[in-house]
DNA sequence: GTACCTTTGAAGTCC
DNA sequence: GGACTTCAAAGGTAC
C-alpha cells in the first residue's frame, strides 16, 4: 500500500482510492441501466449513507434497513453536493479555531521535551489550538514541530518533505524522547504516546468512557481499569501501551475458547490464571482519522450506528486532500515505528485467531491447521521436525 | 452474550 | 508479485 515511507511526499497512498471515488458518478450512470447489479446494491448503500448525512436523522439507519427499495434511485447530485460539503467540512476542520472534541489534546505529550501536561496537552489547549500551532500537532505525541516545515530535530532527509524512511530507529529517541538506553528505560509514569491517539474525549458532549476522577485512569483512557492496576497488563518494558489490551470480550472468547476443542484440565487451569494481554495492531491512517472524526460525525449526523458512520468517514477520507491525508499517514507511520520499538518480536500474525483457536503457543507452537509459523526462529532441523509433526496433527484433525 | 456490519490500510499468507 | 485474508476501532443491531 502506498505510504509515506517511500520518501516522497507525493506518495501518500490514496491515489487509487481517490480516483475511484471520483469515478463513482460514472458508475452510477451505468447503474441506472442495470438496476439489479451488485454495484447497484453498493451504490444503494452509499446513497443511503448520503441520505443520512443530509437528513441527519437519528433514525436514518433504521430507515435504511426498512426502505432500501424505495431509495434505490437516490439522486446522484446529492452525493456530489455532499462530497463538496464533506470536503468543506473536513477541510475546515484544520482551520477551525476551536478544536472541540479533539480527543488527543487532553493528554500529556510524552514526546515533547517537557512532557508534563502542557499547553498542548490539557483541555485549555483545545480552544487555543490554532494560535500558531497546527491543529493536528496537539493530537500528536510527537510535538508541534512534526508539521512544521523543517522540524529542527528531524533527520536532514526528512526535513523539507513528508518523506519517510522506514528504518530510523535512531531518530525515535529524538522523536519520542526515549532515553538513550532504549524503551526499556522509559519511566512507567510516562504517558504512552498512544494516549494521545486513543484518548478520552472531551467533556463537551463527547464520550468519556472512564472516570476522570482517577488521575491515572484518565491518563490511560483506552485501558480498562484492570489493565492499569495490574502489572500483568504492562508491557515487559513497564510501559502501558494502548495496543495492549486484556483478552476480554470477543477476542478473549475467540482466542481462548470457541468450543472448537474440548478443554483439558490444563486448559481449565489456564483460564484461571491471568490472561495475557493482547498486543493490538497499531492503527493505520484511516483508523486514526476515524478516531478523530467519529465524534464529529456523530454530532453532525446524529448517527450512532458505526457501520453508517464508517461509511461516511470513508467518503470523507477520500474527500480529504493529499496533504490532509498525509498527516494521518505520518501519524500512522510513527505509530508503527513506536510499536516496532516496543514490541520488536510482535507480529500481526500473533493476533490471528487460528493459532489461539487451537490453543497454540504464539511463540513456539507450529500451527498445523493453518500452517502459520511460530514467532521464534527455529533451527532448520527443528523446523523440519515441527513440520512433520504438524502434518501428523493435520492428518489427525 | 456475541457475531455482524462498515470503512481503509497494514501486514501476513498463498500460489 | 499479485491476489487474498485478517485485524485494527466503533457501537448499534440481530440472533
Amino acid at each position: 500500500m502506498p505510504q509515506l515511507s517511500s520518501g516522497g511526499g507525493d506518495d501518500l497512498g490514496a491515489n487509487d482510492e481517490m480516483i475511484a471515488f471520483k469515478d463513482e458518478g460514472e458508475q452510477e450512470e451505468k447503474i441506472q441501466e442495470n438496476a439489479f447489479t451488485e454495484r447497484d446494491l453498493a451504490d444503494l448503500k452509499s446513497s443511503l449513507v448520503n441520505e443520512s448525512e443530509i437528513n441527519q436523522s437519528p433514525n436514518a439507519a433504521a430507515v435504511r434497513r426498512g426502505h432500501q427499495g424505495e431509495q434505490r434511485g437516490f439522486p446522484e447530485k446529492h452525493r456530489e453536493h455532499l462530497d463538496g460539503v464533506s470536503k468543506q467540512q473536513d477541510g475546515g476542520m484544520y482551520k477551525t479555531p476551536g478544536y472541540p472534541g479533539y480527543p488527543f489534546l487532553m493528554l500529556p505529550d510524552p514526546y515533547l521535551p517537557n512532557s508534563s501536561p502542557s499547553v498542548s496537552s490539557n483541555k485549555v489547549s483545545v480552544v487555543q489550538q490554532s494560535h500558531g500551532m497546527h491543529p493536528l500537532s496537539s493530537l500528536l505525541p510527537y510535538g508541534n514541530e512534526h508539521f512544521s516545515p523543517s522540524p529542527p530535530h528531524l533527520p536532514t532527509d526528512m526535513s523539507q518533505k513528508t518523506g519517510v524512511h522506514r528504518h530510523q530507529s535512531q531518530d525515535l529517541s529524538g522523536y519520542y524522547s526515549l532515553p538513550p538506553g532504549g524503551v526499556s528505560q522509559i519511566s512507567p509514569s510516562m504517558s504512552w504516546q498512544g494516549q494521545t491517539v486513543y484518548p478520552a474525549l472531551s467533556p463537551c458532549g463527547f464520550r468519556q468512557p472512564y472516570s476522570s476522577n482517577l488521575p491515572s485512569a484518565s491518563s490511560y483512557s483506552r485501558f480498562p481499569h484492570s489493565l492499569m492496576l495490574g502489572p500483568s497488563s504492562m508491557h515487559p518494558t513497564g510501559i502501558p501501551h494502548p495496543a495492549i489490551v486484556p483478552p476480554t470480550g470477543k477476542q478473549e472468547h475467540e482466542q481462548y475458547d470457541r468450543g472448537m476443542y474440548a478443554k483439558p484440565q490444563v486448559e481449565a487451569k489456564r483460564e484461571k490464571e491471568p490472561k495475557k494481554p493482547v498486543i493490538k495492531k497499531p492503527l493505520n491512517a484511516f483508523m486514526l482519522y476515524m478516531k478523530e472524526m467519529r465524534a464529529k460525525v456523530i454530532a453532525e449526523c446524529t448517527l450512532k450506528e458505526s457501520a453508517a458512520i464508517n461509511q461516511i468517514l470513508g467518503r470523507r477520507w477520500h474527500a480529504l486532500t493529499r496533504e490532509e491525508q498525509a498527516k494521518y499517514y505520518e501519524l500512522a507511520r510513527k505509530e508503527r515505528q513506536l510499536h516496532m520499538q516496543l514490541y520488536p518480536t510482535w507480529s500481526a500474525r500473533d493476533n490471528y485467531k487460528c493459532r489461539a483457536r487451537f490453543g497454540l503457543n504464539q511463540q513456539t507452537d507450529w500451527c498445523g491447521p493453518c500452517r502459520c509459523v511460530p514467532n521464534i526462529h527455529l533451527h532448520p532441523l527443528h523446523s523440519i521436525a515441527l513440520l512433520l509433526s504438524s502434518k501428523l496433527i493435520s492428518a489427525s484433525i
Side-chain angles (χ1 to χ4, degrees):
Chain A
M1 284 303 289
Q3 295 181 32
L4 290 172
S5 56
S6 61
D10 292 336
D11 187 13
L12 300 178
N15 295 344
D16 296 340
E17 291 80 357
M18 294 180 76
I19 292 173
F21 187 69
K22 290 175 182 176
D23 291 339
E24 198 171 2
E26 298 179 4
Q27 295 174 353
E28 290 182 357
E29 292 177 1
K30 297 178 182 177
I31 289 169
Q32 292 178 353
E33 300 174 359
N34 289 320
F36 295 101
T37 62
E38 292 182 0
R39 178 64 190 172
D40 190 15
L41 293 174
D43 180 59
L44 169 63
K45 294 178 180 179
S46 297
S47 299
L48 295 173
V49 172
N50 283 339
E51 185 185 31
S52 69
E53 290 188 75
I54 293 175
N55 296 337
Q56 297 185 359
S57 166
N59 298 323
V63 171
R64 181 186 63 196
R65 289 193 177 86
H67 305 283
Q68 285 188 350
E70 300 173 9
Q71 299 169 356
R72 180 177 296 273
F74 193 81
E76 182 179 345
K77 57 184 179 180
H78 285 287
R79 172 173 305 164
E80 295 175 354
H81 168 71
L82 280 169
D83 289 345
V85 170
S86 61
K87 170 93 171 183
Q88 184 179 3
Q89 292 171 344
D90 289 327
M93 109 184 167
Y94 301 106
K95 304 180 180 70
T96 334
Y99 214 56
Y102 203 90
F104 309 98
L105 309 179
M106 300 173 59
L107 296 157
D109 187 339
Y111 302 108
L112 289 176
N114 298 323
S115 62
S116 61
S118 60
V119 175
S120 63
S121 62
N122 58 24
K123 297 178 182 179
V124 177
S125 68
V126 172
V127 294
Q128 296 175 345
Q129 256 292 323
S130 63
H131 302 300
M133 189 174 184
H134 192 287
L136 271 173
S137 63
S138 298
L139 130 155
L140 287 174
Y142 324 104
N144 188 35
E145 63 271 28
H146 170 65
F147 293 116
S148 61
S150 181
H153 63 286
L154 281 178
T156 54
D157 60 336
M158 286 187 63
S159 58
Q160 288 296 331
K161 48 188 179 182
T162 57
V164 176
H165 39 142
R166 180 67 174 173
H167 303 288
Q168 50 177 300
S169 57
Q170 72 279 7
D171 300 324
L172 287 175
S173 58
Y175 252 92
Y176 305 108
S177 300
L178 295 177
V183 293
S184 62
Q185 297 184 12
I186 295 177
S187 167
S189 63
M190 172 184 282
S191 302
W192 168 251
Q193 63 94 15
Q195 293 169 11
T196 58
V197 181
Y198 316 110
L201 298 178
S202 70
C204 54
F206 295 101
R207 189 171 55 87
Q208 204 164 9
Y210 303 114
S211 169
S212 59
N213 295 330
L214 299 174
S216 60
S218 63
S219 299
Y220 300 95
S221 61
R222 198 187 171 196
F223 300 118
H225 290 151
S226 59
L227 184 63
M228 287 177 272
L229 297 176
S232 61
S233 302
M234 289 290 186
H235 181 266
T237 60
I239 306 170
H241 190 291
I244 303 179
V245 296
T248 58
K250 174 183 175 182
Q251 199 159 21
E252 175 185 23
H253 184 74
E254 290 177 343
Q255 291 199 357
Y256 289 90
D257 178 21
R258 188 69 99 144
M260 300 285 294
Y261 56 92
K263 291 183 197 168
Q265 290 183 344
V266 176
E267 284 294 318
K269 186 177 181 180
R270 182 186 303 175
E271 286 191 346
K272 293 180 181 179
E273 298 174 354
K275 303 289 178 60
K276 285 185 177 180
V278 176
I279 299 174
K280 310 285 279 189
K281 291 175 63 175
L283 302 186
N284 62 39
F286 179 70
M287 288 293 152
L288 293 170
Y289 174 75
M290 282 209 307
K291 267 197 166 291
E292 178 194 345
M293 297 300 296
R294 174 177 298 277
K296 182 181 179 182
V297 171
I298 291 174
E300 289 178 353
C301 303
T302 62
L303 283 173
K304 291 183 178 180
E305 201 174 15
S306 289
I309 293 169
N310 292 348
Q311 283 188 334
I312 295 171
L313 288 170
R315 296 178 65 84
R316 292 190 177 189
W317 172 255
H318 285 295
L320 290 179
T321 65
R322 301 180 73 183
E323 290 74 19
E324 290 169 335
Q325 287 186 348
K327 300 164 189 171
Y328 295 97
Y329 282 115
E330 182 71 3
L331 267 180
R333 184 188 66 82
K334 294 183 179 302
E335 275 283 294
R336 291 195 304 275
Q337 276 191 336
L338 190 56
H339 199 276
M340 283 191 300
Q341 287 281 315
L342 292 174
Y343 319 112
T345 61
W346 180 88
S347 168
R349 182 182 56 216
D350 297 350
N351 292 357
Y352 282 16
K353 297 173 185 175
C354 58
R355 300 184 61 75
R357 182 181 302 165
F358 295 97
L360 299 175
N361 186 301
Q362 300 282 357
Q363 300 293 325
T364 60
D365 292 345
W366 178 276
C367 183
C370 74
R371 293 177 294 168
C372 61
V373 298
N375 291 336
I376 61 173
H377 298 287
L378 298 174
H379 187 279
L381 292 178
H382 190 189
S383 300
I384 294 173
L386 283 174
L387 176 62
L388 293 175
S389 64
S390 70
K391 290 186 178 300
L392 292 175
I393 295 173
S394 300
S396 63
I397 295 175

